[in-house]
Amino acid sequence: MPRYDFTSIESRWQEYWQREKTFRTPGPGDANFDASKPKYYVLDMFPYPSGAGLHVGHPKGYTATDIMARYQRHLGKNVLHPMGWDAFGLPAEQYAIQTGTHPAVTTAENVDRFRNQLQALGLSYDWDREVNTTDPKYYRWTQWIFSKLYEQGLAYEAEIPVWWCEELGTVLANEEVIDGLSERGGHPCVKRPLRQWMLKITAYAERLLADLENLDWPESVKAMQREWIGRSEGAEIEFSVAKDSGGAGDHAFMAFTTRPDTLFGATFCVLAPEHPLVDQITGVDQKEAVTVYREAAASKTDLQRSELQKEKSGVFTGAHAINPLFEEDDPRRLMPIWIADYVLMSYGTGAIMCVPGGDQRDYDFATEYGLPVVQVVAPKPLAVNAPGVDRAFDVTHGMGSVEIVTECYSGPGVMVNSGFLDGLSIEEAKSQMVDWLEKRDLGRGRVNFRLRDWLFSRQRYWGEPFPILHGKDGETQMVPNEDLPVTLPELDDFKPAGALEPPLGRAQDWVEVVDADGKVWRRETNSMPQWAGSCWYYLRFLDPQNDEAAWGEKAENYWMPVDLYVVGAEHAVLHLLYARFWHKVLYDCGLVSTDEPFQELVNQGMVQSFAYKDDRGALLPIDEVDEETDPAVRKSDGAAVERIVAKMSKALRNVINPDDVIREYGSDTLRLYEAFMGPVTASAPWNPRDLPGVHRFLQRTWRVFVPKEDDGGEIFASLLSNVAGSDEIERALHRCIEKVSSDVKQMGNNTAIAAMMEFVNEVTKREGQGFGRSQAERFCVLLEPFAPHLAEELWFRLGHVESLAYEPWPEFDLNMLVAESIEIPVQVNGKLRAKAFVPAGQENDRAVLEESAREVVAEHLIGVEVKKVVAVPGRLVNFVVAS
RNA sequence: GGGGGAGUAGCCCAAUAGGCAGAGGCAGAGGACUUAAAAUCCUCCCAGUACGGGUUCGAGUCCCGUCUCCCCUACCA
């Protein structure tokens, strides 16, 4: 029977918190709501309740936020700390297809399991605010927000080529397809044109980019979003396709370039193989080659394209584009038009002008196919030669009086071989060229984004239905707000109805709707993607029971924005960008009061695991390795294996189950371990050997409250009487309070725990002597955010009947932090020679410091000249002497 | 190729604004308690901060260069 009986302690307090609703958080309008208190909204990424249950990676972030939530409560704030379920999604639907179990059933089971697991961690959520994205009471408002987007003209239908995954029976967004395989499951995907709902996130690109500036987010996440949005400034230039005679023909295309300054160096153009103009301009002789190339390109997945990346390929169309800078007789006027798969139809205009003298990709292509290369930017030192137009004449390429170079230069410099731009800097040349083009209506400055509109529909059953009706003649209307939610129909079979018909199409009764005028409509049979529900869940938490509105204005005003959001790095672009987009739309509609949802963001690190590599570099499942030996060896043959750090994976059988840890050590130990591993932001491997360390700390803590002789858990008599503690312990406690307070504020939970260990070691050293009641109580408050069950138990045994969750945070006295005399290191020429002791209060007096220091290093100063004395108040003294 | 981050003891990690390299934990050694073991407690051991320069009275911390590792992204015109 362990003296510190964590199992019974933890279940007792978990029941207590649930029964007493200790963490219920009243909001504006609720009884017991105190509007005078400051608020703190601390948010976790709500999980997808998978069948696999909780992973030890989840509690890392959840513990960090829970510590913050509990700490903020001790500061007297109203703390909003909710949890819910992002429960729509493919796995439940796949399971339904295989077994016939309704996804709602699977989901409910998984949610129950997750909730139990989270509650077993002692997380201080207000469970009355639990939300579930699959609950019609929730998705009714998801549909309502969609209607807002629709009203704003931000939702539209389009027939576009999309990634279709045969295996999953659905389309996927670009970002859900990696190298031609689905992100989930790794199934092959192909491009197919399909009618889809799109959200016009590109309309917000500029603001999504600019507003990153003021967010207290990790630089890495901001950088990823910036790259994802991919703003680039340049110009759009119209090129006419030449007739055989050389004059401008009927065809023309737009090319986007970031380097309009280099137009004088454009020697050819490339269209994406899919470019619609290709059919019309391809010459008779080139027809066959072009067709073959286009078919090859179409059948290539992105994976294959990138594998072949090093070598550029393409074919000539037979047509030429006209470079508007040059007169009819100038050989540089006609630029051959090629098609090549390094130009993507989906970016810019799907057509480029190629300047091989200044762009590595164009240069590679030009070298491959023997196209001319002209230098238009010279590095600065060569500027003396500019403008230098009349140099070599290249017969081979017929480029006129322009030097043909064999290098590509894309660095800074001055314009050469560029007519009216010669001698200008790149920046000046860009703006002059844009002016030149705009005056002639041949082009204009343009900002282009990598960000595409958001593909917002899926061909799935287990997602939010669209509140959309289609008429016979192709007209579309919203389901009126009062008729929401549009609930999912019951189905027996969740498979797609046909190759391209979503499963919802199977529900005939549901699909057909007759309105008051007897007109027949068909419901939209696509459903929304999983991101929809997670785009606004943080808003529903503000007012989760509200049946009149998605959230109340007062609640929104009081609680928003989220003060602290802890998410894994995997959400850096998608979830966080989509949520910001919706939030800005809601802001523009006057429905929320802040233009950004998440003020401070922290990326939690990964919890990794050890893995072992044999001498051939192959990874071994952990159960084939004996970890007790040093080095670890393979069980089968005793060969030494190398320990490495890897992601937890089923294949390596190194996944840690939190339930097992709780059973063996308790959830306070699990919490403490997760927080003690290192900074929240850092990734670190799970090391089972380290668990006993933090567990011992809790046992020692128990021991300083409860005497050894008494297994019943009676507390030290001295702690029950009001005996004052010793001065040494009081000082140690003040140091501990100071350290824990400053650390926990900045999520330095690992060092805060170290400070508490130090304190408990100090008390232990005195065998419980001199530990006073008030000291014990203050320590309980410090401990509570980290090990809440034990802290509550000790608090209770000190004679309190109420939870300590709302006890004020203890204060420290600066005067108690200093010892009676201060130790000051004394250096001679930067080398530590001795230590001086200065009475407390005088450590900032340079004269005192120097005098005390001189005494202790007197022998080092004999016979040498002291050139300088550096005395840092309270820190050290350094004598600089002539050597 | 581009971007972000990190290298401190056998391991995980500390070290406010440059100021004694070590707070804490693990592992290891020795000891106390015990019939024994476990548990618990005490004591000890261990690096000069990836490498090379520089600035400074003084550098883990600042500057320059190099190396290694992790994450993201990748023909974006």
Side-chain angles (χ1 to χ4, degrees), chain A residues 26 52 124 140 196 199 267 294 339 347 418 537 659 686 719:
Chain A
S124 63
R140 168 207 163 132
Q196 297 294 332
L199 295 185
T267 58
R294 291 181 92 183
I339 60 171
Y347 183 77
S418 293
Y537 75 110
D659 297 343
W686 185 272
L719 292 177

Side-chain angles (χ1 to χ4, degrees), chain A residues 89-91 93-94 97 160-174 176-177 180-197 455-464 466 494-504 524-531:
Chain A
L90 264 181
E93 182 162 336
Q94 294 294 103
I97 291 171
I160 52 160
V162 293
W163 284 109
W164 167 260
C165 181
E166 190 64 45
E167 195 70 27
L168 300 175
T170 184
V171 300
L172 297 168
N174 282 328
E176 290 170 311
V177 179
L181 300 174
S182 66
E183 190 185 16
R184 272 179 193 270
H187 305 295
C189 303
V190 292
K191 286 263 184 179
R192 253 192 196 182
L194 262 186
R195 184 188 61 85
Q196 297 294 332
W197 281 95
L455 173 59
F456 194 67
S457 43
R458 299 289 184 278
Q459 287 67 51
R460 290 182 195 158
Y461 173 75
W462 197 229
E464 298 88 346
F466 281 82
F494 303 97
K495 281 202 270 301
L500 297 175
E501 175 67 23
L504 288 179
E524 173 63 57
T525 54
N526 281 311
S527 58
M528 298 188 200
Q530 200 182 349
W531 308 108

